[in-house]
Amino acid sequence: MILITVTDVQTAEGSKGKFLITVKLSTGQHEEVRTFLVFRYYLKNGIFHGEPPAVGDFLGADTFEALEFAESCSNAAVKAVSLLAFGDNTAKKLSDKLRQKGFSRDAAAEAVRFCVEKRYIDEEDQLKRLMELLCEKKKYGVRRIRQEVWQKGFSEDVLKAHFEENAAELDFDAAVYDRVKRLGKDAFSTPEQKKKHVSSLLRYGFSMDEINGALKQLHLDTVDDYDDGIDE
């Protein structure tokens, strides 16, 4: 039988939200001392009810296992915050990265939950900014943007609630016109060339209505430019 005794509890240096909990495991013939760094967050959400065990407490096997898991979650949360410092991540993407770093599925999930609750991950804001970037900078249409954000791992609930709303605020007509203007009127001068470039624009996610509108505007702008160059 293993006797597990709490021998020391300290607040981690520089943080009231972390504890260093030291325990002694004794079998009578052998002793082992282990120290756990644990977030208060995981004590609050576990069997400890928000507070660390007290010095002198005896821990049962289930409680000790919960302490080990709380430390694993805390380590995963530290790594998650570190990863987020390098750029945006969706909850799924962050979880995948933590799994690749060797954390268990459950510990990764708990670390992600911590980041979401602390607003370190805000998928609604990330989705809006990414969609704006893809339309305004990358010059993508709505169908291509839908593919791109799906591949980023945004939650289905966030996409259902906000994709169409965000898309309605984007100027896809301006995006497709920028692409058409860059190609120039001559790029559409023969049926073969027009078919080629229209197919490309469709792959960028634009509708035929948007493409035809851009081509019509290009024609009007070209006529205006020609008229402006005629001497009266």
Side-chain angles (χ1 to χ4, degrees):
M1 178 179 178
I2 300 177
L3 186 64
I4 306 171
T5 311
V6 179
T7 59
D8 190 37
V9 178
Q10 297 183 26
T11 300
E13 185 177 352
S15 175
K16 294 182 179 180
K18 301 176 186 176
F19 295 98
L20 289 168
I21 302 170
T22 303
V23 302
K24 181 174 67 175
L25 297 85
S26 177
T27 63
Q29 296 180 334
H30 176 74
E31 288 187 353
E32 178 186 353
V33 176
R34 291 182 57 182
T35 299
F36 299 87
L37 176 62
V38 180
F39 284 14
R40 181 189 291 275
Y41 176 88
Y42 293 113
L43 298 177
K44 177 185 68 175
N45 289 287
I47 64 176
F48 298 101
H49 307 294
E51 295 298 329
V55 173
D57 282 356
F58 296 102
L59 305 183
D62 289 345
T63 305
F64 181 71
E65 185 178 328
L67 184 61
E68 288 184 308
F69 181 61
E71 182 185 50
S72 180
C73 294
S74 300
N75 290 337
V78 170
K79 176 56 70 174
V81 173
S82 174
L83 290 170
L84 289 171
F86 289 98
D88 288 338
N89 285 267
T90 61
K92 182 181 183 304
K93 189 175 181 180
L94 182 60
S95 178
D96 290 344
K97 288 182 178 180
L98 291 171
R99 294 297 309 284
Q100 292 169 6
K101 295 294 183 181
F103 293 101
S104 70
R105 185 182 303 276
D106 289 341
E110 286 295 327
V112 169
R113 182 160 67 92
F114 170 81
C115 291
V116 170
E117 288 190 13
K118 297 296 183 180
R119 304 290 288 180
Y120 300 149
I121 296 177
D122 185 344
E123 287 199 9
E124 293 180 20
D125 179 63
Q126 287 183 37
L127 177 65
K128 183 177 179 63
R129 287 188 286 110
L130 178 59
M131 291 179 67
E132 289 174 351
L133 172 70
L134 293 174
C135 177
E136 297 171 6
K137 302 296 184 183
K138 295 285 190 179
K139 308 301 180 184
Y140 288 170
V142 67
R143 288 187 295 104
R144 178 69 176 270
I145 290 176
R146 191 186 299 276
Q147 294 172 4
E148 294 287 329
V149 300
W150 183 262
Q151 292 172 2
K152 292 289 184 181
F154 285 93
S155 74
E156 189 173 344
D157 288 342
V158 168
L159 290 176
K160 283 183 177 179
H162 299 286
F163 184 89
E164 297 299 337
E165 172 189 349
N166 291 342
E169 297 178 1
L170 299 175
D171 193 344
F172 295 112
D173 289 333
V176 68
Y177 180 70
D178 282 347
R179 284 194 174 276
V180 166
K181 187 176 181 181
R182 243 182 282 164
L183 290 168
K185 187 176 180 180
D186 289 345
F188 300 89
S189 59
T190 68
E192 292 79 11
Q193 287 179 308
K194 183 175 181 180
K195 181 179 179 180
K196 172 186 173 182
H197 292 300
V198 167
S199 295
S200 175
L201 292 168
L202 288 170
R203 288 195 295 274
Y204 278 114
F206 298 106
S207 68
M208 279 305 306
D209 285 345
E210 290 166 339
I211 295 169
N212 286 330
L215 292 174
K216 181 178 180 180
Q217 186 61 50
L218 179 66
H219 174 73
L220 292 174
D221 289 349
T222 304
V223 170
D224 288 343
D225 290 342
Y226 176 75
D227 288 345
D228 289 342
I230 298 176
D231 294 330
E232 295 184 2

